[in-house]
mmCIF file of all heavy atoms in Angstrom:
data_model
loop_
_atom_site.group_PDB
_atom_site.id
_atom_site.type_symbol
_atom_site.label_atom_id
_atom_site.label_comp_id
_atom_site.label_asym_id
_atom_site.label_seq_id
_atom_site.Cartn_x
_atom_site.Cartn_y
_atom_site.Cartn_z
ATOM 1 N N MET A 12 53.526 -51.958 27.979
ATOM 2 C CA MET A 12 54.319 -52.555 29.050
ATOM 3 C C MET A 12 54.616 -54.023 28.717
ATOM 4 O O MET A 12 55.746 -54.480 28.877
ATOM 5 C CB MET A 12 53.597 -52.447 30.393
ATOM 6 C CG MET A 12 54.430 -52.963 31.548
ATOM 7 S SD MET A 12 53.756 -52.590 33.172
ATOM 8 C CE MET A 12 52.179 -53.398 33.114
ATOM 9 N N PRO A 17 60.235 -58.733 27.342
ATOM 10 C CA PRO A 17 61.456 -59.481 26.987
ATOM 11 C C PRO A 17 62.736 -58.666 27.204
ATOM 12 O O PRO A 17 63.727 -59.188 27.714
ATOM 13 C CB PRO A 17 61.252 -59.822 25.507
ATOM 14 C CG PRO A 17 59.764 -59.795 25.309
ATOM 15 C CD PRO A 17 59.269 -58.714 26.235
ATOM 16 N N ALA A 23 67.315 -57.571 33.337
ATOM 17 C CA ALA A 23 67.292 -58.084 34.713
ATOM 18 C C ALA A 23 68.242 -59.268 34.863
ATOM 19 O O ALA A 23 68.950 -59.375 35.874
ATOM 20 C CB ALA A 23 65.866 -58.479 35.110
ATOM 21 N N LEU A 36 62.578 -59.817 39.824
ATOM 22 C CA LEU A 36 62.845 -58.391 39.651
ATOM 23 C C LEU A 36 61.907 -57.772 38.612
ATOM 24 O O LEU A 36 61.365 -56.683 38.818
ATOM 25 C CB LEU A 36 64.311 -58.183 39.251
ATOM 26 C CG LEU A 36 64.799 -56.757 39.090
ATOM 27 C CD1 LEU A 36 64.618 -55.947 40.370
ATOM 28 C CD2 LEU A 36 66.270 -56.755 38.672
ATOM 29 N N TRP A 45 52.682 -50.665 37.353
ATOM 30 C CA TRP A 45 51.227 -50.699 37.296
ATOM 31 C C TRP A 45 50.620 -49.798 38.357
ATOM 32 O O TRP A 45 49.665 -49.068 38.095
ATOM 33 C CB TRP A 45 50.726 -52.129 37.445
ATOM 34 C CG TRP A 45 49.262 -52.250 37.155
ATOM 35 C CD1 TRP A 45 48.247 -52.318 38.041
ATOM 36 C CD2 TRP A 45 48.660 -52.261 35.865
ATOM 37 N NE1 TRP A 45 47.040 -52.387 37.399
ATOM 38 C CE2 TRP A 45 47.261 -52.359 36.054
ATOM 39 C CE3 TRP A 45 49.149 -52.210 34.573
ATOM 40 C CZ2 TRP A 45 46.368 -52.402 34.999
ATOM 41 C CZ3 TRP A 45 48.262 -52.256 33.520
ATOM 42 C CH2 TRP A 45 46.880 -52.348 33.727
ATOM 43 N N ASP A 167 90.408 -62.880 15.755
ATOM 44 C CA ASP A 167 90.323 -63.338 17.136
ATOM 45 C C ASP A 167 88.954 -63.915 17.479
ATOM 46 O O ASP A 167 88.759 -64.416 18.583
ATOM 47 C CB ASP A 167 90.645 -62.193 18.108
ATOM 48 C CG ASP A 167 92.087 -61.748 18.000
ATOM 49 O OD1 ASP A 167 92.954 -62.606 17.741
ATOM 50 O OD2 ASP A 167 92.349 -60.548 18.166
ATOM 51 N N VAL A 173 94.057 -74.642 17.841
ATOM 52 C CA VAL A 173 93.996 -75.984 18.430
ATOM 53 C C VAL A 173 92.568 -76.527 18.357
ATOM 54 O O VAL A 173 92.351 -77.682 17.970
ATOM 55 C CB VAL A 173 94.506 -75.962 19.892
ATOM 56 C CG1 VAL A 173 94.305 -77.320 20.549
ATOM 57 C CG2 VAL A 173 95.964 -75.547 19.928
#
Side-chain angles (χ1 to χ4, degrees):
M12 184 169 60
L36 183 58
W45 190 260
D167 294 326
V173 174

